[in-house]
């Protein structure tokens, strides 16, 4: 049996697709799981079903699991708390315990939303204080992961973007929609500060971290990785307008905090610990957003012909 066998949960999602592809390119034997979406490369499973999940792990015998599956839309979490706890906490616990039982390392993907955003930048040892239910369930997910095994890894990441199946799939790509209804005046948040990361950067980090873990068992516990450029949503819109030369006279900055579930003002993650391990890479926002949105802009132009 190959020594490098990995299960990626949530492999149909925004991050999971990039993680699946990165492991495939790195000669790992890979199983990607989905829930409602289908695909040649995907095994559909409800990870809230603990028995089915156990069978899957037992049959595949991974030495690593990258756990991307989650409910991650803060407003949906508030509407379905029970379902969110089943997925973000209970299914995570089951997977983390199974991984430990079968001698596998689990990487649990977490979020900068475990911090309240009042004292950035945050290091891995800083005190957590999630402001919304999403952040609370993700923090509980971290706790059950590390309780199952001190050898597991928690990787906290900021807002993500990259190739999307629909614009609303990422909090960054959704902003392109503002340019498509250009008649109407729009207000965009210029309050909360974010450090967006391209999903390919996080995916290659997962591969590098787990390859390092195979050589050095001391790679364990919590790690942070965030983008290097700070921007509000309005700042992201300005970048998009500049990269694609789109008019934005109808879009104005909104200085007030966003509506809906409370969000941290600035939960910048310090990358120092991972930088010392020499495993991360950063795609610049201009380069990343160019490659992510070019096709969508082209499509829109074709529709207008
Ligand atoms: N996106 C961000 O900006 C962001 C920021 C910080 C942290 N994170 C974290 O990064 C991780 C990945 O997020 P993402 O953006 O890739 O999420 P996503 O695009 O919403 O994908 C969620 C994935 O979970 C799967 N899933 C949902 N319910 C399931 C169930 N009951 N059983 C099995 N799988 C289930 C979905 O499958 P189907 O689609 O097939 O139903 C999908 O593959 C999450 O842990 C999230 O908390 C994301």
């Amino acid at each position: 049996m190959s020594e490098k066998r990995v299960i990626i949960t949530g492999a149909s999602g925004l991050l999971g697709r990039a993680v699946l592809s990165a492991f495939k390119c790195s000669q790992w034997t890979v199983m990607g799981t989905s829930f409602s979406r289908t695909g040649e490369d995907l095994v559909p499973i409800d990870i809230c079903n603990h028995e089915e999940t156990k069978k899957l792990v037992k049959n595949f015998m991974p030495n690593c699991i990258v756990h991307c599956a989650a409910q991650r839309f803060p407003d949906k979490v508030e509407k379905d708390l029970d379902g969110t706890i089943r997925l973000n906490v209970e299914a995570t616990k089951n997977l983390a315990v199974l991984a430990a039982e079968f001698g596998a390392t689990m990487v649990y993907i977490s979020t900068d939303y475990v911090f309240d955003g009042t004292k950035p930048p945050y290091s891995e040892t800083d005190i957590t204080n999630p402001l919304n239910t999403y952040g609370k369930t993700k923090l509980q997910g971290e706790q059950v992961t590390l309780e199952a095994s001190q050898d597991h890894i928690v990787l906290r990441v900021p807002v993500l973007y990259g190739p999307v199946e629909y614009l609303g799939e990422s909090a960054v790509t959704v902003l392109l929609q503002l340019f498509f209804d250009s008649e109407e005046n729009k207000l965009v948040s210029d309050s909360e500060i974010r450090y967006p990361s391209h999903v390919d950067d996080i995916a290659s980090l997962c591969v590098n971290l787990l390859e390092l873990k195979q050589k050095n068992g001391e790679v364990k516990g919590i790690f942070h990785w965030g983008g290097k450029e700070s921007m509000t949503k309005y700042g992201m819109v300005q970048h998009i307008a500049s990269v694609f030369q789109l008019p934005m006279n109808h879009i104005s900055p909104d200085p007030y905090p966003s509506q809906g579930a409370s969000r941290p003002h600035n939960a910048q993650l310090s990358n120092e610990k991972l930088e010392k391990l020499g495993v991360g890479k950063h795609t610049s926002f201009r380069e990343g957003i160019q490659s992510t949105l070019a096709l969508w802009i082209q499509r829109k132009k074709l529709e207008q012909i």
Side-chain angles (χ1 to χ4, degrees):
M1 187 191 290
S2 159
E3 280 190 350
K4 296 186 352 177
R5 296 176 69 79
V6 61
I7 294 179
I8 295 142
T9 70
S12 51
L14 176 66
L15 176 62
R17 295 193 296 271
V19 174
L20 184 72
S21 154
F23 275 97
K24 280 190 173 169
C25 293
S26 307
Q27 318 300 319
W28 283 66
T29 304
V30 184
M31 173 190 280
T33 75
S34 65
F35 177 53
S36 60
R37 285 180 263 192
T38 50
E40 238 176 67
D41 293 350
L42 299 172
V43 177
I45 181 170
D46 179 358
I47 60 165
C48 297
N49 182 329
H50 295 191
E51 277 312 304
E52 286 300 310
T53 308
K54 184 171 184 171
K55 274 190 218 155
L56 182 108
V57 173
K58 203 174 163 188
N59 287 338
F60 189 76
M61 291 297 282
N63 43 18
C64 298
I65 296 176
V66 182
H67 180 31
C68 299
Q71 176 50 270
R72 53 94 175 172
F73 291 95
D75 296 331
K76 286 191 188 167
V77 168
E78 304 289 339
K79 281 187 195 132
D80 180 16
L81 184 55
D82 289 350
T84 301
I85 289 174
R86 273 198 299 280
L87 181 57
N88 290 6
V89 186
E90 290 165 12
T92 297
K93 180 176 179 178
N94 183 49
L95 264 177
V97 168
L98 283 172
E101 256 175 50
F102 289 98
T105 302
M106 183 159 108
V107 177
Y108 171 72
I109 306 293
S110 191
T111 169
D112 54 354
Y113 274 36
V114 297
F115 295 111
D116 61 18
T118 54
K119 283 189 194 154
Y122 290 95
S123 77
E124 288 79 354
T125 49
D126 281 330
I127 292 171
T128 52
N129 182 29
L131 295 181
N132 61 35
T133 314
Y134 165 67
K136 286 178 190 159
T137 63
K138 291 298 291 182
L139 181 60
Q140 284 175 282
E142 292 187 2
Q143 287 158 350
V144 294
T145 299
L146 295 176
E147 270 162 29
S149 169
Q150 295 291 313
D151 274 330
H152 287 340
I153 292 170
V154 167
L155 177 60
R156 293 182 182 142
V157 300
V159 62
L160 302 176
Y161 72 98
V164 284
E165 292 184 349
Y166 60 99
L167 287 175
E169 201 179 10
S170 149
V172 178
T173 55
V174 74
L175 297 171
L176 182 63
Q177 201 61 47
L178 296 164
F179 294 93
F180 295 162
D181 329 305
S182 61
E183 304 289 288
E184 234 178 280
N185 286 330
K186 299 275 180 193
L187 270 181
V188 176
S189 169
D190 197 24
S191 170
E192 292 92 7
I193 298 161
R194 298 290 175 255
Y195 294 80
S197 257
H198 195 286
V199 286
D200 287 350
D201 293 350
I202 307 299
S204 73
L205 186 58
C206 290
V207 175
N208 293 342
L209 206 52
L210 283 173
E211 301 221 316
L212 200 61
K213 170 85 179 176
Q214 309 250 300
K215 296 179 208 139
N216 175 1
E218 286 312 301
V219 176
K220 58 187 175 184
I222 303 174
F223 293 94
H224 286 179
W225 194 256
K228 282 199 164 168
E229 298 155 84
S230 76
M231 56 193 89
T232 61
K233 281 192 178 172
Y234 185 71
M236 295 176 203
V237 167
Q238 286 178 309
H239 277 290
I240 295 171
S242 148
V243 168
F244 294 103
Q245 298 177 343
L246 299 171
M248 58 172 290
N249 304 337
H250 63 295
I251 306 174
S252 312
D254 180 354
Y256 300 106
S258 302
Q259 304 280 309
S262 303
R263 286 155 164 88
H265 178 68
N266 180 353
Q268 181 185 10
L269 299 170
S270 161
N271 296 332
E272 227 173 275
K273 189 173 164 189
L274 276 174
E275 271 166 357
K276 279 193 192 140
L277 291 178
V279 287
K281 78 172 171 82
H282 286 286
T283 300
S284 78
F285 189 73
R286 283 185 78 83
E287 187 195 327
I289 207 67
Q290 214 285 334
S291 59
T292 297
L293 294 180
L295 209 69
W296 289 91
I297 305 249
Q298 231 174 34
R299 253 189 232 172
K300 193 67 191 170
K301 283 187 180 153
L302 284 175
E303 274 170 32
Q304 284 165 349
I305 292 173

